[in-house]
């Protein structure tokens, strides 16, 4: 306890400090979570901001070894929402006072895709009187494409690094031009320099991953001054190459616990960023997202993809809520967030304070 208290009172954590915190159990762990909650309350309040998540297509040109919608998985039924379906979902978010949406998809590139997103952005700005904030999460694109989307009204971009360790990255991705670690880093740099609120994140409990690499992920996020983070437990998917290592993984409850600790530590390290309570947490523990909210997270992404497609955006096995509708998600979350003693900030953008102050 003494030892953890000494670490928690420091201004800056070293890699060794973070590893100690990731190992904390019992009272030590509670102490970490209490400190994170205190930092959250003082810096971003007891508030949760909604980002309505529209998973608009699962068509993907990449072959990430962990991901259920990878190009080489023939078992996936591919879909692509129509523009009207996307706009209806955006309108639902706007009328429900969510204030922000996320457009996420598998990774496609090219002129046609770029123009489609630009046009959708124009239409979303129009239907919401410029009041909906839009986050894009459409993978690696050229700097010109990122700029074009920014000019059409997108203000936030999410691109998880997945692991900031190059060697581990290449154990999770094919080693080719389409899956280059350096390209991913330079995409993040381009996104940031264009002026987006920039988000990244990692998976936790990956095969081969060590506590040291997790600690370095957090230090890396701080070093690049990220504005938003989404981190979730790695969950195996039966139709992916990484599934072969399923017997070497940490138990899911340990991956869950490590994710909560990563969120808590990051909240202490980066006091005023936005941190998401990832959906993957909820597939391990029904109250997973609420638990994350209680120890530092302040963003939830209610799924507003039309119900009939949700089952096909299956990144990992046992993805929760695939049989629900947007309205069900809303009322379910209202109860859950109240249980976590937080208020839903309806109608507020909840821009990253870190971004505004930088
Ligand atoms: N094409 C976009 C969106 C990818 S899906 C992009 O490349 O950014 C969003 C996130 O889901 C990924 O970044 C990854 O971190 C997560 N994900 C994919 N497969 C997963 C799995 N098996 N377990 C946990 N998270 C996974």
């Amino acid at each position: 306890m003494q030892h953890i208290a000494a670490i928690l009172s420091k201004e800056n954590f070293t890699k060794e400090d973070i590893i100690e915190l990731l190992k904390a159990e019992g009272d030590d762990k509670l102490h970490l979570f209490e400190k994170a909650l205190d930092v959250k309350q003082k810096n971003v309040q007891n508030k949760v901001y909604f980002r309505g998540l529209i998973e608009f297509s699962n068509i993907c040109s990449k072959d990430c070894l962990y991901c259920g919608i990878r190009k080489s998985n023939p078992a996936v039924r591919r879909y692509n929402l129509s523009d009207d379906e996307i706009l209806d979902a955006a309108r639902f978010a706007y009328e429900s006072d969510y204030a922000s949406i996320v457009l996420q998809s598998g990774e496609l590139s090219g002129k046609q895709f770029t123009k489609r997103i630009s046009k959708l952005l124009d239409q979303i700005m129009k239907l919401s009187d410029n009041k909906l904030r839009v986050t894009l999460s459409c993978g690696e694109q050229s700097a010109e494409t990122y700029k074009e989307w920014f000019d059409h009204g997108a203000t936030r971009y999410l691109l998880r690094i997945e692991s900031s360790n190059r060697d581990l990255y290449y154990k999770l991705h094919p080693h080719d031009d389409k899956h280059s670690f350096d390209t991913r880093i330079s995409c993040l740099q381009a996104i940031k320099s264009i002026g987006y609120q920039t988000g990244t994140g990692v998976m936790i409990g990956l095969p081969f991953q060590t506590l040291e690499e997790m600690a370095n992920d957090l230090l890396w996020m701080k070093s690049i001054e990220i504005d938003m983070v989404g981190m979730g437990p790695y969950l195996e998917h039966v139709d992916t190459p990484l599934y072969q290592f399923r017997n070497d993984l940490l138990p899911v409850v340990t991956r869950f616990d490590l994710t909560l600790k990563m969120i808590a530590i990051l909240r202490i390290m980066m006091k005023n960023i936005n941190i998401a309570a990832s959906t993957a947490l909820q597939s391990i523990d029904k109250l997973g997202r609420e638990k994350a909210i209680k120890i530092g997270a302040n963003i939830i992404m209610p799924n507003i993809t039309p119900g009939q497609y949700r089952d096909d955006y299956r990144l990992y096995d046992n993805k929760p809520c695939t049989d629900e509708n947007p309205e069900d998600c809303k009322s379910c979350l209202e109860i859950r967030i109240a249980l976590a003693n937080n208020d839903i900030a309806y109608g507020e953008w909840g821009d990253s304070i870190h971004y505004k102050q930088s």
Side-chain angles (χ1 to χ4, degrees), residues 66-67 104-105 139 159-160 162 184 203 233-235 315-316:
Y66 45 85
C67 185
Q104 188 177 83
S105 67
L159 185 70
R160 287 187 175 180
E162 318 296 359
R184 204 142 182 104
M203 286 177 283
Y234 163 70
L235 296 166
L315 307 170
Y316 42 81

Side-chain angles (χ1 to χ4, degrees), residues 47-50 97-99 343-350:
K47 277 191 182 182
V48 176
Y49 300 95
F50 275 0
D97 245 356
Y98 283 7
D343 293 323
I344 302 171
Y346 280 120
E348 291 181 46
W349 283 327

Side-chain angles (χ1 to χ4, degrees), residues 231-249:
M231 295 184 282
Y234 163 70
L235 296 166
E236 57 272 39
H237 186 298
V238 60
D239 296 319
T240 59
L242 274 200
Y243 192 70
Q244 63 186 293
F245 303 109
R246 65 192 174 282
N247 296 327
D248 307 331
L249 297 171

Side-chain angles (χ1 to χ4, degrees), residues 1-14:
M1 184 78 179
Q2 214 43 35
H3 181 52
I4 292 290
I7 294 176
L8 289 174
S9 66
K10 287 187 176 183
E11 208 40 57
N12 289 301
F13 297 152
T14 63

Side-chain angles (χ1 to χ4, degrees), residues 52 154 178 215 244 275 295:
K178 230 181 156 24
Q244 63 186 293
I275 305 181
I295 52 95

